Amino acid sequence: MLIPRILTALALLAVLIPIVAIGPPWLWGLASLLMLGIAYSEWARLVSRSHPGPVEWFALLLGGSALIALAPTGDLAQPLVIAVCFLSLLFWLIEGPKRLRRHRAASGGRALAAALLIACWFALYDLRGQGAVVLVSAMAIVWIADIAAYFVGRGIGRHKLAPSISPGKSWEGAFAGMAAVALAGLATVPFEAMSSALPSRLVGTVGWMGAAL
């Protein structure tokens, strides 16, 4: 499983890094919209055993393209972004632990999948509007956590996190992912080029200990 993961990651980076680094924000908006559309297709297949139909794809692309056309530089209306992301955050903070305790993904289906992925797209497009460094630093949080959790979980993971949802995940991997993100994030703070990234912003707002937490 490791080699296919690495090859897939390298292929995606070869495509995405130029789009993020030198492409205009609207190009990233379209690329990320397409990626999340594919994610929705897979999610829909898992919860309903069928892929989205043409109407769902059309609605997704039309809605996303309209927002990109209205805000081609990624400067979406901040009250809208804050509302969408805050509601998504509430869901993960409240429902995430509930579903882990029940050891099942529970209900929600395609509508929930669409809502959460739309919120994710809002965040990704808005972050690109703030700058390539801001966007990449936010995505790096996920990459670093995933890599650390994968290797530590495979190496010493003994206590399953949610066996009926994702049998390969362990508590040891989860804690390793959190620790790796904190260490890597704080290590970037002294660099001027990373001053706009999330870790630097957190340190400037809540201090080193608050940022680590």
Side-chain angles (χ1 to χ4, degrees):
M1 286 293 292
L2 180 59
I3 297 301
R5 284 185 178 210
I6 293 174
L7 293 176
T8 301
L10 290 175
L12 287 172
L13 286 174
V15 174
L16 293 180
I17 291 300
I19 291 176
V20 172
I22 61 177
W26 63 263
L27 183 58
W28 165 250
L30 288 175
S32 56
L33 183 66
L34 178 60
M35 287 188 296
L36 289 175
I38 296 171
Y40 172 66
S41 179
E42 288 300 304
W43 197 334
R45 184 180 60 82
L46 287 171
V47 297
S48 64
R49 300 187 183 280
S50 63
H51 288 287
V55 173
E56 288 175 90
W57 272 103
F58 179 75
L60 173 74
L61 294 174
L62 180 63
S65 299
L67 279 171
I68 293 170
L70 291 171
T73 58
D75 54 342
L76 297 171
Q78 285 305 296
L80 177 62
V81 175
I82 291 171
V84 169
C85 291
F86 179 71
L87 290 173
S88 175
L89 174 64
L90 278 183
F91 172 85
W92 289 114
L93 289 178
I94 296 171
E95 284 297 314
K98 280 183 174 180
R99 293 170 189 231
L100 285 176
R101 282 198 299 270
R102 288 196 297 261
H103 295 284
R104 60 189 180 88
S107 61
R110 294 163 76 136
L112 177 61
L116 292 173
L117 288 173
I118 288 171
C120 178
W121 180 78
F122 265 82
L124 288 172
Y125 191 41
D126 184 68
L127 286 168
R128 178 61 186 89
Q130 298 181 46
V133 171
V134 181
L135 172 63
V136 173
S137 68
M139 293 195 295
I141 292 172
V142 182
W143 301 335
I144 293 167
D146 192 46
I147 291 168
Y150 177 80
F151 283 106
V152 173
R154 281 179 62 89
I156 62 172
R158 298 293 180 270
H159 301 86
K160 297 299 184 183
L161 181 65
S164 63
I165 297 176
S166 186
K169 302 292 189 297
S170 68
W171 281 105
E172 291 86 351
F175 286 123
M178 287 188 279
V181 166
L183 291 172
L186 294 177
T188 67
V189 172
F191 296 96
E192 180 64 29
M194 299 296 291
S195 61
S196 62
L198 178 60
S200 294
R201 292 183 178 187
L202 285 175
V203 169
T205 304
V206 297
W208 286 84
M209 184 61 69
L213 290 173

